[in-house]
Amino acid sequence: MLLCIDTGNTNTIFSVWDGEKFLAHWRISTNHRRTADEYFVWLTTLIEAQKLDLQINACIISATAPRVVFNLRVLCNRYFDTRPLVVGRPDCLLPVAPRVDFGTTVGPDRLVNTVASFDRHGGDLIVVDFGTATTFDVVDADGAYIGGVISPGVNLSLEALHMGAASLPHVDVTLPQMVIGTNTVACIQSGIFWGYIGLVEGIVNKIRDEHGKTMKVVATGGLAPLFDQGFDLFDAIEDDLTVHGLRLIHDFNKEMGNG
């Protein structure tokens, strides 16, 4: 069985693939101080609670928070007796190499999303990921990552607004009933919601113009459904895009004799 570990800036997801389907998904806050032993105790508790019989013999890691990688590697080595693949490292092969400026390091999550979205939707794609940052990844016709856009994430923007203006409350983002807010909370919700609708529409249109081709838009991340409420922004929403990509990259490396 394959353990896929997707570490973002905010949360880390552990998923187990049995060769045909994902048996479980578990989420924990990302913390670089968490040790391999702590990860194992947490995982073991969840596995026992769900009465699962898991024989993990392979691991793959995607981490946008590099400081956590060491302890995750120790977890895989010590408790599952396996050397994990780490996306972004030279020994982890990709089906198609990214085409970006020489010396540029592409976020592992963006590479994984590229592989997964190309597998499901083909080439000439824009992948919008609503995470800690809101990213736009451009997938070429052959499945190569060729660049993109990084903007502040929705929750990060809300937090910055709250921290930078003491009189403004922290609010949850939601679809406002009206654009013109008649109280402070409604004004903030409208600014965030309609601001990000405009951001997505504007950047997607600019990318399409620059790329010069018809492009599908695939969205992922927890807030993607919020921005797809009748606005026809996305051609598809994928809630498991990253773990699907991790599984594909592992399988590709195995086929190439590299895992």
Side-chain angles (χ1 to χ4, degrees), residues 80-99:
F80 303 121
D81 193 27
T82 181
R83 178 176 175 271
L85 285 169
V86 180
V87 179
R89 299 288 175 88
D91 61 342
C92 183
L93 306 177
L94 298 173
V96 184
R99 293 193 287 271

Side-chain angles (χ1 to χ4, degrees), residues 48-153:
E48 291 177 351
Q50 293 184 230
K51 297 181 173 58
L52 297 173
D53 181 20
L54 303 182
Q55 302 297 322
I56 294 170
N57 53 24
C59 300
I60 184 168
I61 301 168
S62 168
T64 57
R67 295 174 70 185
V68 307
V69 173
F70 174 78
N71 284 323
L72 290 173
R73 292 181 71 134
V74 173
L75 168 72
C76 299
N77 288 324
R78 179 181 298 167
Y79 290 107
F80 303 121
D81 193 27
T82 181
R83 178 176 175 271
L85 285 169
V86 180
V87 179
R89 299 288 175 88
D91 61 342
C92 183
L93 306 177
L94 298 173
V96 184
R99 293 193 287 271
V100 293
D101 292 345
F102 179 77
T104 298
T105 300
V106 181
D109 56 330
R110 307 180 81 177
L111 297 174
V112 173
N113 285 347
T114 294
V115 172
S117 58
F118 179 73
D119 177 70
R120 287 181 170 171
H121 301 281
D124 292 323
L125 297 175
I126 302 169
V127 182
V128 185
D129 189 348
F130 291 92
T132 303
T134 299
T135 59
F136 299 75
D137 300 321
V138 182
V139 184
D140 211 353
D142 64 347
Y145 171 86
I146 58 171
V149 175
I150 300 174
S151 61

Side-chain angles (χ1 to χ4, degrees), residues 179-203:
V179 175
I180 302 173
T182 54
N183 57 70
T184 301
V185 170
C187 289
I188 295 173
Q189 289 175 332
S190 184
I192 291 294
F193 184 85
W194 293 112
Y196 272 86
I197 289 289
L199 180 140
V200 172
E201 287 180 330
I203 290 179

Side-chain angles (χ1 to χ4, degrees), residues 214-240:
T214 301
M215 306 179 76
K216 290 183 179 179
V217 181
V218 177
T220 189
L223 290 176
L226 174 67
F227 295 100
D228 194 48
Q229 301 183 67
F231 298 102
D232 199 29
L233 290 177
F234 313 122
D235 296 287
I237 295 179
E238 304 279 5
D239 59 1
D240 64 342

